[in-house]
């Protein structure tokens, strides 16, 4: 075990929503936040709306295409819900190796993928982290 | 509908955990974050561990006492999970009135309570916000 700092800023909280237009309008109008235009990300199987808060972002996710990774989540949670949260790290390979050494499971083959922001990302197993899906993004 | 800004910073993300000591050690050692000592909050039925990130906080919540508001959540989600997220507002009564005017449900009687940080808070109905429990805190 080490006490060295690894995770940095909370980059975003991602929320899967059943109606993207309604959710975006709600954040813009009811909650009064700065809401961007929908962006299709075919490589990630989602359409995303970014909500810019003063200190972090909320990302509204809606399925795009037949193999969207959030389709199953929305089937289980028809009203939507928080899908994952993303922490920034400086060195994603060092982070991965430290996590594995501590016994935490990294999803997939452990090789970082290019995430929705064009940066290397990994996801950690929710069962190892209090039921929360955690994304690490190298910044 | 108005386009005036209402919600500000993401004050914290709260995670209900089944084992507070294990979760705190995990954030300190495996994820490498700055983790505080557990604090009992009997008025809120939780013991809390604050995790300070550079831009926001994570709060680990564990039930305290027989009527803890997170006991039912942990029964439904035995591994834990994200319980709520908290947005800052400047004027909680104005926020409440705007939300109600837009048709969103404010939980309880709509009168702000004193939250875990000693400031006025309200909670919004998850069914009106994509399955997410939202806390508003006046700062």
């Amino acid at each position: 075990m080490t006490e060295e700092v690894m995770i940095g800023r909370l980059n975003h909280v991602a929320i899967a929503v059943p109606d993207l237009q309604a959710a975006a309008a709600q954040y813009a109008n009811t909650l009064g936040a700065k809401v961007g235009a929908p962006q299709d990300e075919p490589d990630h199987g989602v359409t995303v709306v970014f909500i810019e808060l003063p200190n972090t972002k909320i990302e509204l996710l809606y399925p795009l295409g037949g193999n969207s990774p959030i389709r199953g989540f929305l089937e289980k949670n028809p009203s939507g819900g928080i899908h994952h949260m993303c922490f920034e790290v400086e060195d994603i390979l060092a982070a991965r190796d430290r996590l594995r050494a501590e016994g935490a499971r990294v999803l997939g083959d452990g090789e970082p993928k290019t995430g929705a922001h064009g940066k290397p990302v990994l996801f950690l197993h929710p069962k190892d982290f209090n039921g929360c899906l955690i994304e690490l993004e190298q910044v």
Side-chain angles (χ1 to χ4, degrees), chain A:
Chain A
M1 293 206 296
T2 166
E3 293 186 4
E4 197 186 336
V5 170
M6 188 174 88
I7 58 170
R9 296 175 70 255
L10 178 70
N11 184 277
H12 63 267
V13 176
I15 303 174
V17 301
D19 182 335
L20 189 59
Q21 198 172 1
Q26 181 188 51
Y27 270 84
N29 300 317
T30 308
L31 287 172
K34 188 178 169 189
V35 174
Q39 298 179 24
D40 287 347
E41 297 186 354
D43 288 352
H44 298 96
V46 289
T47 301
V48 182
V49 165
F50 292 94
I51 298 165
E52 301 233 8
L53 302 178
N55 61 332
T56 189
K57 290 192 298 283
I58 305 288
E59 298 187 8
L60 304 178
L61 306 181
Y62 185 78
L64 176 67
N67 290 316
S68 173
I70 62 164
R71 201 171 288 279
F73 181 90
L74 282 170
E75 279 165 12
K76 280 183 214 151
N77 304 277
S79 305
I82 295 178
H83 183 263
H84 68 266
M85 55 184 174
C86 174
F87 298 124
E88 299 178 357
V89 295
E90 286 190 6
D91 182 335
I92 201 159
L93 294 178
R96 175 196 65 188
D97 294 344
R98 173 170 168 176
L99 285 157
R100 284 178 164 174
E102 297 278 348
R105 283 169 286 180
V106 176
L107 296 184
D109 61 6
E111 292 308 310
K113 302 284 186 295
T114 301
H117 311 133
K119 294 174 179 169
V121 303
L122 284 172
F123 284 88
L124 311 181
H125 201 302
K127 284 211 194 298
D128 293 342
F129 291 94
N130 310 294
C132 302
L133 180 59
I134 292 178
E135 180 180 21
L136 299 180
E137 178 176 296
Q138 181 172 296
V139 291

